[in-house]
Amino acid sequence: MATYIYHRMSELFLLSLFVSSFMVASAGTFDEDFDMSWGDHRGKMLDKGKLLTLSLDRISGSGFQSKREYLFGRMDMQLKLVSGDSAGTVTAYYLSSEGNNHDEIDFEFLGNLSGEPYIVHTNVYTQGKGDREQQFYLWFDPTKDFHTYSFVWNPHRIIFLVDNTPIRVFYNEESIGVPFPNSQPMKLYSSLWNADQWATRGGLVKTDWSKAPFTACYRNFNANACVWSRGSSSCASTPSTSGVSSTPGSGDWQTQGLDANGRRRLRWVQKYFMIYNYCSDFKRFPQGCPRECRRGRFL
Ligand SMILES: *[C@@H]1O[C@H](CO)[C@@H](O)[C@H](O)[C@H]1NC(C)=O
């Protein structure tokens, strides 16, 4: 019943009223929120679950995934990426549902030679179809300190944020026939792996294994989200695991869009840091750019 109503409600106001009563804030330790999913000892939870590290060597990379599945939410994670010569490595941090026709929302950090810039690669898959890449450089060195990378995912839009600056918005354009991820619950995943066939300068620069192991670090995961439970249709809540961070207005993600300042920041990123946008790749889409690009709302 709850889900029936949940899916049917298109009115912003009603939706936010409803969701707020089932919302979950999670700011626990990594062992409460995540499982190491592959890579054996290469993934570690340290400091009583407050720090997580993934590593990659010649034999294998590693990864972790959330215990819970979410249907809408805001997820924040602080990452410190592989430092030094990270060419060929990719640190992926993404939400994904399972099965065919899956939905997925991706951050991928493509490493580089020492002192050369990382690329932040983003993509959105809906009903199994991706091909919606946007790529950016960052305005800081992501290997020196922890920075916050966030997804805001609500029924209206998906916002990718870096240190609270929006770098990309994917709008719900179902009204013009573009599927939007709003019915398949997703888990949060991260992995560190070797992708030297394509990652750095399009595959020209290979991983230097003499620099292995490569390590990425994670801390301060925070989710304000709807948790999908027991495969059933309820958007039920689980107890918040600690009082670490109850951000004021943390329920705002449900309707969050861009205010004037957000739009200004987004334009700044797009002007100075965006290096690829599928929406303007006319060679790739000679018959015209994808539908969701046409309204000029990809800004
Ligand atoms: C690596 O550095 C080169 C040279 O500065 C640059 O062209 C490239 O975009 C950088 N990033 C990646 C991931 O290749």
Side-chain angles (χ1 to χ4, degrees), residues 118-162:
Y118 263 73
I119 287 177
V120 180
H121 175 99
T122 63
N123 204 353
V124 177
Y125 286 75
T126 60
Q127 299 292 318
K129 188 192 162 295
D131 297 334
R132 299 192 176 99
E133 301 85 355
Q134 289 186 359
Q135 295 185 334
F136 308 84
Y137 288 139
L138 291 164
W139 48 96
F140 52 83
D141 179 349
T143 72
K144 285 275 178 295
D145 294 298
F146 282 93
H147 290 270
T148 306
Y149 303 89
S150 316
F151 301 105
V152 171
W153 170 35
N154 65 37
H156 313 285
R157 58 191 75 78
I158 295 160
I159 310 173
F160 295 76
L161 298 152
V162 175

Side-chain angles (χ1 to χ4, degrees), residues 110-112 116-117 119 137 199-201:
L110 317 186
N112 216 332
E116 299 291 333
I119 287 177
Y137 288 139
T200 306
R201 300 187 60 193

Side-chain angles (χ1 to χ4, degrees), residues 3-178:
T3 306
Y4 177 77
I5 297 171
Y6 192 78
H7 284 303
R8 288 298 154 137
M9 267 192 307
S10 53
E11 288 305 314
L12 190 70
F13 177 66
L14 286 177
L15 185 65
S16 64
L17 269 185
F18 181 79
V19 178
S20 57
S21 54
F22 292 93
M23 217 179 53
V24 163
S26 169
T29 55
F30 279 109
D31 46 309
E32 285 161 350
D33 290 319
F34 296 97
D35 292 315
M36 306 311 304
S37 43
W38 62 286
D40 300 321
H41 57 279
R42 291 176 189 80
K44 292 194 180 75
M45 297 186 190
L46 305 164
D47 194 13
K48 299 201 179 91
K50 285 195 228 130
L51 180 71
L52 189 154
T53 61
L54 291 183
S55 70
L56 161 70
D57 58 32
R58 214 184 275 263
I59 315 275
S60 174
S62 52
F64 63 90
Q65 66 182 57
S66 63
K67 294 186 199 281
R68 299 179 181 125
E69 293 183 290
Y70 307 96
L71 188 63
F72 302 124
R74 174 177 175 138
M75 290 81 179
D76 303 286
M77 180 82 88
Q78 292 193 315
L79 277 78
K80 190 158 104 179
L81 301 174
V82 175
S83 62
D85 182 355
S86 60
T89 71
V90 170
T91 306
Y93 174 59
Y94 59 103
L95 285 158
S96 181
S97 67
E98 283 174 29
N100 298 331
N101 304 322
H102 80 296
D103 297 329
E104 187 177 317
I105 308 170
D106 294 330
F107 269 117
E108 286 186 329
F109 304 95
L110 317 186
N112 216 332
L113 296 168
S114 252
E116 299 291 333
Y118 263 73
I119 287 177
V120 180
H121 175 99
T122 63
N123 204 353
V124 177
Y125 286 75
T126 60
Q127 299 292 318
K129 188 192 162 295
D131 297 334
R132 299 192 176 99
E133 301 85 355
Q134 289 186 359
Q135 295 185 334
F136 308 84
Y137 288 139
L138 291 164
W139 48 96
F140 52 83
D141 179 349
T143 72
K144 285 275 178 295
D145 294 298
F146 282 93
H147 290 270
T148 306
Y149 303 89
S150 316
F151 301 105
V152 171
W153 170 35
N154 65 37
H156 313 285
R157 58 191 75 78
I158 295 160
I159 310 173
F160 295 76
L161 298 152
V162 175
D163 288 339
N164 243 351
T165 290
I167 63 164
R168 173 171 190 178
V169 184
F170 182 81
Y171 289 95
N172 184 335
E173 297 284 17
E174 281 182 310
S175 64
I176 55 167
V178 182

